[in-house]
Amino acid sequence: MASEPSQDEVFLRVRRQLQEQQMEELVRAMTDKCFEKCVKKPGKSLSTSEQQCIAKSMDRYMEVMALVFNTVARKAQS
Amino acid sequence: MNSSTDPQTTAAMQAFIQEENQKAAVQQIISKLTDTCWDKCMGKPGNKLSSWETDCISNCAERFLDTSIFIVQRMEKQAQSRNGI
């Protein structure tokens, strides 16, 4: 019979679930923004240039998020 | 569920919930600012952020927070002057 999980195990599981949710939210936001930026006229498939744009857009999105985080952190300290 | 009534367990649970709530609140602000400032500042995605985009993003984030603070303060003032009548 499986023993009842310890409190630390429960916390760990909850934390992992929250992280998964956050990752899903990030994917949703990126898809939204990068589609908007890169797929102006949807064709029969994603073109090479659209894929290149999406890849860059994903990297820039992460960069913007990090920049926002640093800006907020700096402002919170002042 | 007998373990959840133990005061030590309850305290640890409350601390955990508070910490996760705080993290969630920060994450929500970061997501909101990223979303809003991306729309305001970003042109066609390049190989790196241009210096104009970098400035725009950090100004956007700071001014959004300033706007939020300003609105709260102004509403407080208005509430005070209404109470003063």
Side-chain angles (χ1 to χ4, degrees):
Chain A
M1 201 172 82
S3 63
E4 209 174 288
S6 73
Q7 195 179 42
D8 282 351
E9 275 171 344
V10 174
F11 287 172
L12 205 68
R13 278 187 216 171
V14 172
R15 220 162 248 156
R16 208 172 290 145
Q17 271 180 0
L18 290 170
Q19 279 167 1
E20 275 169 29
Q21 278 175 17
Q22 208 196 329
M23 195 53 79
E24 280 168 23
E25 172 57 26
L26 178 63
V27 170
R28 194 205 55 73
M30 268 186 179
T31 306
D32 192 41
K33 297 303 181 193
C34 298
F35 182 82
E36 202 68 34
K37 276 272 182 256
C38 299
V39 188
K40 302 285 184 194
K41 287 180 186 159
K44 296 271 178 211
S45 66
L46 283 180
S47 67
T48 310
S49 66
E50 282 168 338
Q51 288 181 29
Q52 282 166 349
C53 177
I54 291 165
K56 279 185 197 171
S57 172
M58 289 169 70
D59 294 346
R60 296 298 74 73
Y61 198 81
M62 292 311 293
E63 213 179 333
V64 168
M65 193 169 251
L67 179 56
V68 165
F69 183 86
N70 291 333
T71 306
V72 172
R74 211 183 323 114
K75 199 172 167 65
Q77 275 172 353
S78 64
Chain B
M1 290 302 283
N2 52 355
S3 64
S4 63
T5 53
D6 167 16
Q8 220 180 336
T9 312
T10 310
M13 190 70 83
Q14 280 170 345
F16 175 79
I17 291 168
Q18 201 184 357
E19 193 189 322
E20 291 305 319
N21 273 340
Q22 265 169 4
K23 269 199 257 173
V26 172
Q27 277 159 10
Q28 214 204 331
I29 292 168
I30 303 300
S31 298
K32 166 66 191 160
L33 289 174
T34 304
D35 186 272
T36 302
C37 297
W38 173 275
D39 288 345
K40 275 224 190 293
C41 300
M42 295 301 287
K44 198 179 183 322
N47 289 321
K48 62 185 186 70
L49 289 180
S50 69
S51 65
W52 187 87
E53 286 166 338
T54 305
D55 287 348
C56 180
I57 295 283
S58 66
N59 286 339
C60 169
E62 288 189 39
R63 296 299 80 74
F64 191 94
L65 295 176
D66 286 346
T67 302
S68 164
I69 294 164
F70 179 88
I71 285 173
V72 171
Q73 286 174 343
R74 187 162 183 274
M75 293 198 69
E76 278 172 357
K77 259 188 233 161
Q78 286 173 334
Q80 276 166 7
S81 64
R82 263 198 302 279
N83 290 337
I85 293 166

